[in-house]
Amino acid sequence: MPAPDLSSQTFDRLQDALVRLGEPAFRGRQIFSWLHKKNAVSYSEMTDLSRDLRVRLKEAAPLHSLEITGRQEADDGTVKFRYRLADAQEVEGVFMPEERRSTLCISTQVGCGMGCKFCATATMGFRRNLTAGEITGQLEAAKRKLGEPISNVVFMGMGEPLANLEAVLAAVDILLHSHGHHMSRRHVTVSTAGLVPAMEEFIHRTPVKLAVSLNATTNKVRDRLMPINKKYPIESLLECCRHLPLRHTDRITFEYVMLDGINDSQEDAHRLIRILRGIRCKVNLIPFNPFSGLSYRRPNEDTVEIFQETVAAAGITVMTRKSRGHSLQGACGQLVVGEK
Ligand code: SAH
């Protein structure tokens, strides 16, 4: 039997795991909070466990915390981290401090299988899913390194979160749990390229927020940019969004990467308004962030501004995402690591 991975267990499952190891359930609670509240990396830090138990756990259920192997900081305070996993694979993530909040962008897979044509991560292909412990481990490692609180987490790093649904749901559980990171559900957002069945399951199983990478207003263009559109075309994606049982005042965020001459025209803006009708949503425009070897271009600022004004005039909340971490290739769609 493989050693249990305690850092990937939700609160309830961790208690069960300890019972299976012949310990009382409350040991699970203690370990959960050491791992996900106090960001411990080893059993030796868990001083309210007996020395005996610590030694036994080290043998029976070794911990593999993530190691930060790279850290680049931009002038605006944005930090790009590189994390090494137990099997020496690597993922990247980005920390973005603001005045009243700070956001960590985390990865859910090594590489990505979605194949979006404008995204650097896609060039890696899909290598493997992260475990729940590797997903929350990015937050824990960043907190340890930065020594400051992180108020928001976005699942917008490498990978397609909804293609790794069970691990993502367990990770969210750990982020929200009062003995874990105790985050507000409103401060956690999971982004998807549009895996329709998984989106429905997601909404039923977790209260955190959903973002959808729309990126085009016609199937012709979206087919070309995002192969997933052939499976779940715009109508079925938006039909799903229209009927999702959103909580309270929640809205779906639609991300829209703006590519010069491809999806940034006034016709696109008007079509966007039309297709989003009846969906409680807001729109996040992301001017394309280039990476080497790609022919797409970022539209000029006026084009982005006019597009935004047109959409806003229809009563839709729309923002242009400030490009952060650009100088260190840490902006949206620029995360990539080499062959392992
Ligand atoms: N796979 C998920 C999670 C990644 S989120 C998803 O697709 O939603 C990453 C966001 O960055 C997506 O909205 C994507 O459309 C956007 N993006 C990807 N490459 C980009 C680039 N080169 N410039 C700007 N945004 C990009």
Side-chain angles (χ1 to χ4, degrees), residues 118-119 156-157 159-160 191-193 213 215 255 257 286 288-289 332-333:
F118 47 82
C119 179
M156 297 184 184
E160 167 50 43
S191 182
T192 178
S213 299
N215 298 339
E255 292 149 294
V257 182
I286 318 175
F288 173 66
N289 296 308
C332 301

Side-chain angles (χ1 to χ4, degrees), residues 105-106 108-109 112 114 116-121 155-162 190-194 211-215 222 226 254-259 284 286-291 294 296 298 321 326 331-335:
C105 176
I106 61 177
T108 55
Q109 298 179 320
C112 184
M114 292 292 109
C116 300
K117 297 291 182 283
F118 47 82
C119 179
T121 307
F155 288 63
M156 297 184 184
M158 294 175 159
E160 167 50 43
L162 299 196
V190 174
S191 182
T192 178
V212 176
S213 299
L214 184 59
N215 298 339
R222 198 166 189 270
M226 304 177 71
F254 287 104
E255 292 149 294
Y256 193 95
V257 182
M258 294 196 71
L259 303 163
N284 234 324
I286 318 175
F288 173 66
N289 296 308
F291 59 95
L294 226 90
Y296 295 117
R298 159 190 287 244
R321 193 176 287 175
H326 211 254
C332 301
Q334 293 186 314
L335 303 183

Side-chain angles (χ1 to χ4, degrees), residues 94-110:
V94 183
F95 171 73
M96 293 160 282
E98 287 171 78
E99 233 166 69
R100 282 196 193 76
R101 60 173 195 184
S102 57
T103 304
L104 189 72
C105 176
I106 61 177
S107 295
T108 55
Q109 298 179 320
V110 184

Side-chain angles (χ1 to χ4, degrees), residues 21-142:
L21 290 166
E23 290 294 320
F26 74 88
R27 295 277 176 232
R29 188 171 71 227
Q30 289 175 308
I31 295 169
F32 188 89
S33 94
W34 276 111
L35 292 173
H36 307 299
K37 190 190 267 306
K38 301 175 206 158
N39 309 318
V41 294
S42 67
Y43 292 114
S44 53
E45 292 170 64
M46 304 184 186
T47 45
D48 52 2
L49 307 183
S50 71
R51 172 186 288 268
D52 242 28
L53 179 59
R54 282 184 261 158
V55 171
R56 207 155 72 76
L57 286 173
K58 200 171 160 202
E59 284 289 307
L63 293 174
H64 301 286
S65 61
L66 275 64
E67 194 185 332
I68 292 182
T69 50
R71 175 191 172 147
Q72 289 170 274
E73 189 158 347
D75 293 342
D76 63 1
T78 303
V79 182
K80 180 163 89 167
F81 287 119
R82 183 168 285 206
Y83 308 90
R84 193 172 61 213
L85 312 172
D87 62 354
Q89 297 271 9
E90 293 180 310
V91 291
E92 290 189 329
V94 183
F95 171 73
M96 293 160 282
E98 287 171 78
E99 233 166 69
R100 282 196 193 76
R101 60 173 195 184
S102 57
T103 304
L104 189 72
C105 176
I106 61 177
S107 295
T108 55
Q109 298 179 320
V110 184
C112 184
M114 292 292 109
C116 300
K117 297 291 182 283
F118 47 82
C119 179
T121 307
T123 63
M124 297 170 63
F126 171 73
R127 296 188 193 164
R128 74 166 171 88
N129 280 328
L130 299 193
T131 63
E134 288 171 333
I135 296 171
T136 63
Q138 297 165 62
L139 176 61
E140 287 138 24

Side-chain angles (χ1 to χ4, degrees), residues 115-188:
C116 300
K117 297 291 182 283
F118 47 82
C119 179
T121 307
T123 63
M124 297 170 63
F126 171 73
R127 296 188 193 164
R128 74 166 171 88
N129 280 328
L130 299 193
T131 63
E134 288 171 333
I135 296 171
T136 63
Q138 297 165 62
L139 176 61
E140 287 138 24
K143 280 183 171 175
R144 280 195 304 271
K145 193 80 169 177
L146 296 164
E148 59 181 291
I150 295 174
S151 61
N152 294 55
V153 167
V154 294
F155 288 63
M156 297 184 184
M158 294 175 159
E160 167 50 43
L162 299 196
N164 185 13
L165 186 62
E166 291 308 321
V168 164
L169 290 172
V172 166
D173 208 78
I174 294 169
L175 297 186
L176 302 190
H177 202 282
S178 58
H179 290 292
H181 294 279
H182 204 187
M183 297 185 68
S184 152
R185 68 167 196 93
R186 289 201 167 74
H187 294 166
V188 178

